Amino acid sequence: MMKQRLGANIRALATGLALVAGVGPALAQQTDAEKEIEKYRAMINDPMANPGYLSVDRGEVLWTQKRGAKNVGLETCDLGEGPGKIEGAFAKLPRYFKDADRVMDLEQRLLHCMKTIQELDTADVVRRRFGGPNYTSDMQDLVAYIANKSNGMKYQPQLSHPKEQEMLAAGEALFNRRAGVMDFSCNTCHGESGKRIRLQGLPDFAKPGKDARETMGSWPTYRVSQSQTRTMQHRLWDCYRQMRHPVPEYGSDGITALTVYMVKMAEGGEITVPSIKR
């Protein structure tokens, strides 16, 4: 009996050593791959070679373009810093707006201004909310232009109003809420450091820190794989799609609440946009 137990222990030890020996090269390959990905990111992270700046230029034109029944531009749109003031506005969004009695992110606020200031039928803007192979998105271009005016500034979450505090609580609840056919939540992928999908590292949004600051500070971004400038609205929409949840309505309060939570986790993070990603 003792010989059998000894033999079993030796076999178990041998199996364990074999597994460790196999894991070593795998970890080394993973580390090498990560280094190569960082080299690739450094190569493409050049503002002079970033097509996202074409969106910034188009957004600048759209900001002043006369449209809608009133045939006016958006220069009097108040993004929180006063009518027409866009420098630093993105760094304090989402926030509460008294005229709408709502907490809004940038895209919600722009839709509001289009309707109230320009009296623009926004159906086409919403239809093209995410650019495709044959068309650009006014909203993505406007967000790129306005967000770029906060470059070098740090995220300053606005949480003094009770409705802003309610949105933060709702956003945290949504981040942790499991649902859908896969029983996933945002926390499933982004609830701790060191997680990844294949070679793609997943930022940790369960607590304030470097991951959240660097991630939020880099959106909107130009996605090389999609040949489009993408906003956080698109990123969250795509996350829900990949989790097999019902996709959220564009400009929904739920997405804004989740953004409030993520900005809180990213407090103090520097904004550098549009960035460029794979």
Side-chain angles (χ1 to χ4, degrees):
M1 182 66 73
M2 281 190 69
K3 287 182 178 179
Q4 289 176 345
R5 283 201 299 268
L6 181 59
N9 289 340
I10 291 172
R11 286 194 296 274
L13 179 60
T15 301
L17 290 172
L19 287 172
V20 170
V23 168
L27 288 174
Q29 289 174 1
Q30 179 176 303
T31 302
D32 290 343
E34 288 174 346
K35 289 178 180 177
E36 291 304 315
I37 289 172
E38 288 306 314
K39 286 181 185 178
Y40 166 73
R41 285 175 177 158
M43 256 188 336
I44 64 175
N45 194 21
D46 178 358
M48 299 305 293
N50 183 348
Y53 280 87
L54 296 175
S55 292
V56 173
D57 292 341
R58 288 195 298 266
E60 184 174 12
V61 173
L62 285 167
W63 181 251
T64 59
Q65 184 177 332
K66 293 178 171 55
R67 298 198 295 180
K70 290 191 175 180
N71 194 35
V72 296
L74 290 167
E75 297 99 324
T76 58
C77 178
D78 186 354
L79 300 177
E81 297 300 290
K85 295 180 180 179
I86 57 177
E87 285 77 10
F90 183 72
K92 297 180 181 179
L93 289 169
R95 68 189 298 169
Y96 175 76
F97 290 91
K98 186 177 180 179
D99 58 356
D101 193 29
R102 289 175 68 191
V103 176
M104 295 176 163
D105 75 347
L106 179 53
E107 288 168 78
Q108 281 181 316
R109 188 61 182 173
L110 286 169
L111 283 174
H112 175 82
C113 287
M114 289 173 182
K115 292 173 182 176
T116 58
I117 294 173
Q118 296 179 312
E119 291 188 3
L120 177 69
D121 181 353
T122 58
D124 182 61
V125 174
V126 172
R127 183 185 65 80
R128 294 184 297 108
R129 61 197 180 278
F130 308 138
N134 301 314
Y135 57 90
T136 59
S137 164
D138 290 357
M139 197 57 76
Q140 288 176 173
D141 292 342
L142 280 164
V143 169
Y145 167 61
I146 294 163
N148 179 253
K149 293 296 183 180
S150 288
N151 264 5
M153 301 180 189
K154 298 185 185 301
Y155 266 117
Q156 304 170 52
Q158 303 298 293
L159 297 170
S160 59
H161 194 278
K163 289 198 174 184
E164 292 168 342
Q165 296 165 18
E166 287 174 7
M167 282 297 232
L168 174 61
E172 184 174 7
L174 281 170
F175 180 82
N176 290 291
R177 185 176 186 272
R178 301 178 74 102
V181 296
M182 298 174 70
D183 194 33
F184 272 19
S185 69
C186 302
N187 189 62
T188 303
C189 292
H190 299 285
E192 58 184 283
S193 59
K195 285 189 172 183
R196 64 181 59 254
I197 294 178
R198 297 179 295 277
L199 290 175
Q200 180 64 44
L202 298 171
D204 179 2
F205 272 99
K207 61 181 183 296
K210 181 174 179 286
D211 278 7
R213 289 193 294 267
E214 289 184 352
T215 300
M216 293 302 288
S218 64
W219 286 82
T221 189
Y222 182 81
R223 299 298 300 269
V224 174
S225 57
Q226 300 174 17
S227 301
Q228 292 286 339
T229 301
R230 296 305 194 192
T231 67
M232 185 50 65
Q233 279 268 353
H234 182 274
R235 175 65 273 173
L236 294 177
W237 172 87
D238 201 37
C239 279
Y240 275 108
R241 180 190 66 82
Q242 292 181 66
M243 289 193 291
R244 306 299 188 266
H245 285 224
V247 292
E249 181 181 345
Y250 181 67
S252 70
D253 287 338
I255 292 299
T256 298
L258 192 51
T259 305
V260 170
Y261 169 77
M262 293 167 69
V263 167
K264 175 59 180 173
M265 296 299 103
E267 184 171 10
E270 184 175 342
I271 297 168
T272 308
V273 295
S275 67
I276 186 167
K277 299 181 187 289
R278 62 168 180 78

